[in-house]
Amino acid sequence: MARTQSADYEQRKAVIVDAAADLIASLGFGGASISDLAKACGISKSLIYHYYPSKEDILYAVMASHIDQLIDAVELVLGKSGPPNQRLHLLLYTFMDHYVGAASRQKVLLNELAHLTDQARADIVGKQRRIVDAVQRLVVEILPDLAADPARARGQTMLLFGMINWTHIWFDPKGPLSAHDVAEMAFTTFMGRR
């Protein structure tokens, strides 16, 4: 007979992913061990393996949990009606709101892709491209002249992401700037390029 899942199975998995995100962000994938993770979670190594078969599966779960929320944000915001510049404004605010609570996950996503299996890496990269492609379509709505120049459209889109994707390195949510201040600066900088 198959073993049944406990009522808090998904919650326990989430606790492991949260701890793994912080641990891998601070020590790197190679430096963070399952023993470290078990200690951080207050559980045994064998219990970690009950939830995740391998360290790579945990890494994938950290990245997927982050990028799936970004995809949800893109789909929600870009599915709204209204002028494209208003949707971009809202999207930047939404991204920054998410990044504030996900600095470790963002760092892991940006730095640890090479440690995923080929299939898992392809899945994460595919999701990243989905986000970039959707935002690029929005950028082209705002700057229609870029429709005839896909290379410049991609460059403009990646510059926009460059303004917010690395905020985990320098942004302090308790500092003098809020996440919304940063989103507003990114938006006005982008819109000012016209």
Side-chain angles (χ1 to χ4, degrees), residues 107-125:
K107 184 175 181 181
V108 170
L109 178 65
L110 293 172
N111 296 324
E112 304 293 346
L113 269 173
H115 298 287
L116 291 175
T117 64
D118 290 345
Q119 182 178 354
R121 187 178 324 104
D123 182 61
I124 295 295
V125 169

Side-chain angles (χ1 to χ4, degrees), residues 3-17 43 47-53:
R3 184 175 174 183
T4 59
Q5 290 182 356
S6 64
D8 62 350
Y9 183 83
E10 291 302 322
Q11 285 178 307
R12 288 181 181 219
K13 285 181 76 170
V15 166
I16 292 168
V17 168
I43 59 178
L47 193 53
I48 296 277
Y49 286 118
H50 170 70
Y51 292 100
Y52 292 98

Side-chain angles (χ1 to χ4, degrees), residues 139-150 152-153 193-194:
V139 165
V140 170
E141 281 187 65
I142 295 167
L143 306 169
D145 57 306
L146 293 178
D149 193 346
R152 290 185 81 71
R193 76 63 87 194
R194 303 196 312 156

Side-chain angles (χ1 to χ4, degrees), residues 77-78 80-93 138 142 187 191:
V77 171
L78 299 189
K80 292 182 179 290
S81 59
N85 60 329
Q86 286 180 358
R87 286 181 283 143
L88 178 64
H89 193 253
L90 178 58
L91 186 62
L92 290 172
Y93 273 66
L138 183 60
I142 295 167
F187 178 74
M191 294 304 291

